[in-house]
Amino acid sequence: MRLTTKCRHAVTALIHLANRFNEQATVSLAEISTIQGVSISYLEQLFSKMRQADLVIGTRGPGGGYRLSRPPEQITIADIADAIDDRCREERLEGFNKSCPDKRNFAQDKWNEFSRELYLFLDTITLSRFVENQTPFQNRPETSLAQAIR
């Protein structure tokens, strides 16, 4: 499981949209570009993929921009990674289940197992955890990321 820079920028952008979800306001790519320090054309590529994956809705014209297509508690970090990497959940999980034909490659099989667990964990983390005035692990009994991964 790779969390690419593209995925990081996409997650950060969608957290920004999640913070404005209750306002029903659109957010321009120019605003996100300024906040993240990335180009608008780069964001256009990311938002095109996220629009195709039905994570965001775009509005054209003056005052246009993007907003989440559904509430932040219904969009997971895994959903975003799948959209950005052009992979569907089933395809990704199937890839993690493939064992190496060379039995000496025990480490690769273990890495696939770890990647699967990481992906399934990311599928439990929603954008709502990152909305203003909340911490990523608020309302969780675990006190650290290490405990949360266990």
Side-chain angles (χ1 to χ4, degrees):
M1 175 83 211
R2 285 183 53 207
L3 293 176
T4 62
T5 302
K6 283 183 178 181
C7 185
R8 181 175 62 91
H9 285 295
V11 168
T12 305
L14 291 192
I15 289 171
H16 191 68
L17 297 184
N19 281 323
R20 301 254 187 96
F21 184 75
N22 290 332
E23 300 169 20
Q24 292 294 314
T26 59
V27 179
S28 71
L29 292 184
E31 182 180 335
I32 296 170
S33 172
T34 301
I35 291 167
Q36 290 192 11
V38 296
S39 72
I40 293 175
S41 62
Y42 179 71
L43 289 171
E44 286 171 344
Q45 293 172 23
L46 297 180
F47 273 80
S48 173
K49 290 181 178 212
M50 291 188 292
R51 191 176 60 247
Q52 290 171 9
D54 196 32
L55 297 178
V56 296
I57 297 170
T59 305
R60 296 179 185 259
Y66 289 90
R67 62 184 173 84
L68 296 178
S69 64
R70 53 189 186 264
E73 55 274 357
Q74 294 179 10
I75 299 174
T76 69
I77 305 304
D79 292 332
I80 301 166
D82 289 342
I84 297 302
D85 294 340
D86 293 323
R87 297 183 81 179
C88 68
R89 181 177 318 275
E90 294 77 20
E91 178 185 349
R92 191 179 298 269
L93 290 172
E94 183 180 311
F96 293 144
N97 288 335
K98 290 182 182 174
S99 62
C100 293
D102 184 354
K103 294 200 184 284
R104 293 177 292 173
N105 205 342
F106 176 78
Q108 184 62 44
D109 287 340
K110 288 301 171 186
W111 187 256
N112 285 344
E113 182 181 333
F114 172 74
S115 295
R116 178 185 175 80
E117 293 300 317
L118 178 60
Y119 177 77
L120 293 173
F121 176 68
L122 292 176
D123 199 34
T124 67
I125 300 175
T126 65
L127 287 176
S128 63
R129 289 207 187 166
F130 300 98
V131 175
E132 288 177 12
N133 303 322
Q134 288 189 353
T135 59
F137 294 98
Q138 185 176 1
N139 301 324
R140 293 200 40 130
E142 297 89 355
T143 57
S144 73
L145 179 59
Q147 289 175 327
I149 292 175
R150 277 192 242 148

